[in-house]
Amino acid sequence: MPVSVLVSVVIPAYQCAQYIEETLNSVLAQTFAGYETIVVNDGSPDTEALEQALAPFITKIRYIQQPNGGPSAARNRGIREARGKYIAFLDGDDTWLPSHLAKQVELLESDPLLALVYSDSLYLQGDTPMWTAFERVPQDVHVTFETLVEERCTIGTSSVVASRQALLEAGGFEDQRRRSEDFDLWLRMAHRGARMSYSPAVQVCHRAGNGLAFDDNVMKQAQIDVYEKVLLTLPITGPQAELLCDKTQELRARLHLETAKQTLREGRFAEALEAARQARGFLRSAKLGILVAGLRFSPSLLRSAYCLYERFQHRTHGQRFRRYRASLNGSAGKPEYKAVAGAAEN
């Protein structure tokens, strides 16, 4: 254990035995020295395999076991046990680049008013690089309550290093919340006035498709739940309430749109038409208008055309992905992507 612990790394472990060795190796490879590592086994069903994987690291980490309480309860336990001024979160199946902690601590220490910093992440499918978080959602210059609600700033939890005091003052993660629990906490912190910033560099490898955030529709509903909770529990201003209501309506409309697509594929045309009309109540687009008209006047023809369109889109995405993958490995690839991809593969 370092003589002076500035950062406590908190890793909730649940069904991640196959990845935890790679995760911990990425922590031990950090160029920053003043940290401790806390692994919280949240009643994982693979505890035997997990502890076998942890055995070579056991003298270098603090290992805590508790009954299953979900990711919020596991992270809160780690925060309570932490000795550091800062908390760095890392999921048990993600990895960091070696300079991650050094860069994030430097950013925090350069401005004593900062309470939280985060960075870009490279998403992996298996070990294959797919995209970066900031490519999907370019970040606003200012990280505020409003830009978080509008999703103009998106915080990847495994890239976060935050003030332990600020986390505690905001109430930590909500123990019973198992989805969007991180988003809920960031909103509460921002609403309290906690200053946040980010590094544009890719510093994290995140495995897409693992964990509770995999189902996009389920996550949209969890996000709606957070917005509704915020409206009820925080002293929200009029413009903030209007913004939250608009985002809630937008997400509900997108859920209706997904229902319309799914029921169209399955030939359940009446349900598809109703869902499309519900979506059109908030979302206005030419494509949605065509969807409603097609479902009204020629649903079978629309279904055939839509299935052809989806096959075309799937083929186009596949071609784009192959070109993107080639750019990572080729001489014209972006150096920071190649560095992260190399770190993930090693």
Side-chain angles (χ1 to χ4, degrees), residues 299-316:
S300 295
L301 180 60
L302 177 66
R303 181 191 183 196
S304 299
Y306 183 68
C307 289
L308 285 172
Y309 169 76
E310 284 202 314
R311 285 198 288 271
F312 171 76
Q313 286 289 93
H314 181 74
R315 184 166 61 250
T316 302

Side-chain angles (χ1 to χ4, degrees), residues 18 34 66 71 77 87 107 123 181 186 264 284 308 310 324 343:
Q18 61 181 317
Q66 66 178 29
R77 179 70 182 276
I87 304 294
L107 190 55
Y123 278 67
E181 72 286 345
W186 314 146
L264 173 61
R284 298 292 178 181
L308 285 172
E310 284 202 314
Y324 179 68

Side-chain angles (χ1 to χ4, degrees), residues 318-341:
Q319 291 170 349
R320 287 176 182 169
F321 169 70
R322 285 190 289 274
R323 287 196 297 270
Y324 179 68
R325 176 63 175 169
S327 75
L328 290 175
N329 295 326
S331 58
K334 297 180 180 180
E336 65 270 27
Y337 292 5
K338 289 197 280 186
V340 180

Side-chain angles (χ1 to χ4, degrees), residues 64-86:
I64 298 169
Q65 285 184 278
Q66 66 178 29
N68 178 250
S72 293
R75 293 191 187 109
N76 283 339
R77 179 70 182 276
I79 294 169
R80 289 195 301 271
E81 299 283 346
R83 300 166 182 159
K85 175 183 177 183
Y86 302 119

Side-chain angles (χ1 to χ4, degrees), residues 47-161:
T47 288
E48 183 177 353
L50 175 66
E51 291 183 344
Q52 288 177 356
L54 290 175
F57 304 95
I58 205 65
T59 61
K60 301 174 183 177
I61 65 173
R62 294 171 61 193
Y63 176 59
I64 298 169
Q65 285 184 278
Q66 66 178 29
N68 178 250
S72 293
R75 293 191 187 109
N76 283 339
R77 179 70 182 276
I79 294 169
R80 289 195 301 271
E81 299 283 346
R83 300 166 182 159
K85 175 183 177 183
Y86 302 119
I87 304 294
F89 296 109
L90 179 60
D91 287 348
D93 54 358
D94 292 342
T95 56
W96 287 336
L97 262 66
S99 61
H100 171 66
L101 284 183
K103 288 180 177 178
Q104 298 303 78
V105 169
E106 181 181 9
L107 190 55
L108 283 164
E109 296 280 279
S110 69
D111 183 352
L113 297 179
L114 274 177
L116 180 150
V117 295
Y118 63 102
S119 71
D120 200 358
S121 303
L122 179 69
Y123 278 67
L124 304 174
Q125 192 72 57
D127 289 324
T128 303
M130 299 288 285
W131 61 80
T132 72
F134 290 3
E135 280 180 335
R136 285 289 180 93
V137 183
Q139 304 297 287
D140 196 283
V141 173
H142 303 291
V143 188
T144 65
F145 177 82
E146 287 76 14
T147 58
L148 288 172
V149 169
E150 292 176 309
E151 298 179 272
R152 291 189 283 123
C153 288
T154 54
I155 301 175
T157 304
S158 284
S159 74
V160 166
V161 183

Side-chain angles (χ1 to χ4, degrees), residues 216-238:
D216 189 53
N217 287 343
V218 170
M219 290 306 297
K220 282 188 177 70
Q221 184 57 57
Q223 198 171 337
I224 290 171
D225 293 342
V226 169
Y227 288 147
E228 290 177 339
K229 175 211 165 185
V230 166
L231 275 168
L232 290 172
T233 59
L234 296 183
I236 297 297
T237 65

